[in-house]
Amino acid sequence: KSHIQATISAYSSAKILIEALRLSGRKIDRKQLISVLERFNKFKTGLTPPISYSGNRHIGVQGTHIIRFSSTRDPEKALSDADWAELP
């Protein structure tokens, strides 16, 4: 059984953490890591929409794709184009 959503999420999270650790330098602590993450602005993981954090925003995504699914045996017709919805 494939768990592609979990795989994409784990991969993207790892990319964010690796970049934050790299930018934090060798003398890293919790405060430094949080400070670096809070400066991420539209960080591209390659698999997700751009990720941004700030001092008062600790949820990285800015929106979501709304995908329409139809139960049909034709894979070409099962999913329609995704619409982007901004989160407040």
Side-chain angles (χ1 to χ4, degrees):
K1 188 174 182 179
S2 175
H3 297 284
I4 192 70
Q5 295 88 355
T7 302
I8 289 171
S9 178
Y11 174 82
S12 298
S13 296
K15 281 193 78 167
I16 292 166
L17 179 59
I18 289 166
E19 182 65 7
L21 291 170
R22 186 185 70 75
L23 294 171
S24 293
R26 292 194 177 268
K27 293 186 177 184
I28 187 172
D29 61 13
R30 182 177 187 273
K31 186 176 178 179
Q32 174 68 13
L33 181 61
I34 290 170
S35 176
V36 167
L37 284 167
E38 288 177 344
R39 292 192 305 265
F40 272 34
N41 186 30
K42 298 182 181 176
F43 178 76
K44 295 180 181 178
T45 67
L47 295 175
T48 63
I51 304 294
S52 297
Y53 298 105
S54 70
N56 60 358
R57 184 180 182 95
H58 290 173
I59 298 173
V61 294
Q62 302 294 321
T64 188
H65 287 284
I66 306 298
I67 300 172
R68 292 171 193 83
F69 178 78
S70 172
S71 59
T72 177
R73 295 193 186 273
D74 182 357
E76 295 289 323
K77 296 178 182 175
L79 295 176
S80 64
D81 292 335
D83 296 324
W84 179 255
E86 289 286 327
L87 297 176

